[in-house]
Amino acid sequence: MRRIWVLAVLVAGLLVATGPAHAENVLSNGGFETGSLSGWSCSGGSVVSSPVRTGSHALAGGVTSGDNAKCTQTVNVKPGTAYTLSAWVRGNYVYLGVTGGSSTWTPSAASYTKLTLSFTTAADQTSAQVFLHGWYGAGAYHADDVELDGPGGDPQPGVPGRPGTPRATTVTDDSVALTWTAATGTVTGYRVYEGSGVKATVTGANATLPGLAACSTHTYAVAAYNDAGESPRSEPLTVTTTGCTDGGLPKHALIGYLHASFANGSGYVRMADVPPAWDIINLAFGEPTSPTSGDIRFAPCPASECPNVESEADLTAAIRAKQAQGKKVLISIGGQNGQVRLTTAAARDAFVRSVSSIIDRYGLDGLDVDFEGHSLSLDPGDTDFRNPTTPVVVNLISALKTLKARYGARFVLTMAPETFFVQVGHQFYGGSGGGDPRTGAYLPVIHAMRDALTVLHVQDYNSGPVMGLDGQYHQMGGADFHIAMTDMVKAGFPVANTGHTFPGLRPEQIAFGLPAAVSAGNGHTPPAQVHQALNCLVKGQQCGSYTLRGGPSPALRGLMTWSINWDRYYGWEFMNSHEPFLNALP
């Protein structure tokens, strides 16, 4: 969000890049969840139930003075294609690599540590052998969640064909029932994978996964197997169990930011004077005492800047009155000037303490994360949004999980990233190198918090052109931009050259953000164009030449704007145009 009238564009002139081929874990039994060394050839070692990183099993390499306990697996690959090999390992001197190619190692890992390397197959290469081993006399090592991400090659002779993409037939609070098109060839059975772990082994083309948490998101893929080996995995399916709470929001909500701690050209608006049309009111902003302190402070605008500011007692009373009307009032952290970098555990803990203090002091309903600028970036080599390693990202996720656990189901969590930090990750992902380390940097946070996230409202403004799922660049300021950007969040998208796909969010978690007026930021969209975008996204109508990859979303949460103050300045055009339209949507 911005305090100034007109802002510099963050993203402009992006280079054209082609999307990656479909990526999957090419390895068989990478998490050793079969309970055996199936798929692997080991000179020494066994499968154990402890210590494990995920699932129920892991590899224990039986190193001796004469044997480094080397385990290998040979898989089919595509020529001239990029792959990423990774494994979580522990022990003294653990090596991971590709025979005849790249390797990496750690001299000592007291707990599970991720090793990662990337390589490109030769122009005529059709197979690759990956290996793990320890070092002579150094003691046993352990490995889990071994992944070779990239497109699979042609199957080995006799191995079943690839099963069809699974479909969810029944979804409850604690289970998911799947079915899929049977694989070709001789099939002994099927393994249902979640990540590298096997969640079910069945003989037919259907399975039920019980014991799940309510409102939890899972991504499943299926592989067929027989005595000759295991097929490539199916395309993945992401599904969320039922039992989600909506935080007491209306089906379609109007969300706005209130300049509560500062003045600008739009003027100050007292909380009591905010019209009842606004369903979520974000107090802007809580800011840190320094970029890396994690210590967030919030105070109402001083009277010297805002002569009509209410007292703190009146502000608190007005918040209570809004909540009595069913409205949600949140503290928004960050903004243009509030750089927050949780580089240490101490900063993380300070963030939790100080944000909790603000929430408790005013009796707020939750938190809006509006990290901009350089608050979030990815370290080199941090290429898997599902398992981030960058401290500022890992610590933010930990802090948000702690806050959610502290306040429970009533806690409202929203996020307001710019397109640069979300959709641009489809083309460029910061940790993979070769560009701005901030691109896509919100994706690990969104993914980690997806089951606790109330609303994600990406700022569809102050943006350069962004490539959508149709392979075309889209420009802000019209219906086309909002349609394409929001469809990416709903449908999900491949993340640059990482080999990983970001799963889409539930439609009730999605809104999109706009400037309230031309003075509020670049990318103001006329009301008729906003309504066209909503008709497309909610009803599948008026989409123009764009085809929704995520399908129509009748439960789409609504609209966010910067800001309530600017809307008041321009005679409430945003509120008066869009609140009745949202209420009339199915």
Side-chain angles (χ1 to χ4, degrees), residues 1-2 10 255-257 282 285 330-336 367-373 376 413-423 442 445-446 453 455-462 509 511-514 560-562:
M1 305 301 169
R2 298 300 194 248
L10 262 180
I255 304 165
Y257 286 78
N282 293 316
F285 289 106
L330 315 182
I331 180 65
S332 181
I333 305 297
Q336 180 193 13
L367 168 67
D368 172 71
V369 182
D370 184 18
F371 284 15
E372 300 183 17
L376 289 180
L413 175 64
T414 66
M415 299 182 190
E418 295 154 296
T419 58
F420 190 71
F421 296 93
V422 182
Q423 290 94 336
Y442 249 92
V445 183
I446 298 167
L453 181 61
V455 188
L456 174 75
H457 33 65
V458 176
Q459 300 178 35
D460 283 3
Y461 50 95
N462 298 318
Q509 295 178 294
F512 61 88
L514 313 99
M560 173 274 282
T561 193
W562 177 260

Side-chain angles (χ1 to χ4, degrees), residues 51 53 87-95 104-115 132-134 138-144:
R53 177 179 175 268
W88 290 84
V89 302
R90 55 178 286 165
N92 293 323
Y93 294 101
V94 190
Y95 296 77
T104 185
W105 64 292
T106 177
S108 179
S111 59
Y112 273 109
T113 301
K114 190 176 186 181
L115 295 177
L132 283 155
H133 66 75
Y141 70 90
H142 294 88
D144 203 355

Side-chain angles (χ1 to χ4, degrees), residues 170 187 290 326 373:
T170 304
V187 176
S290 70

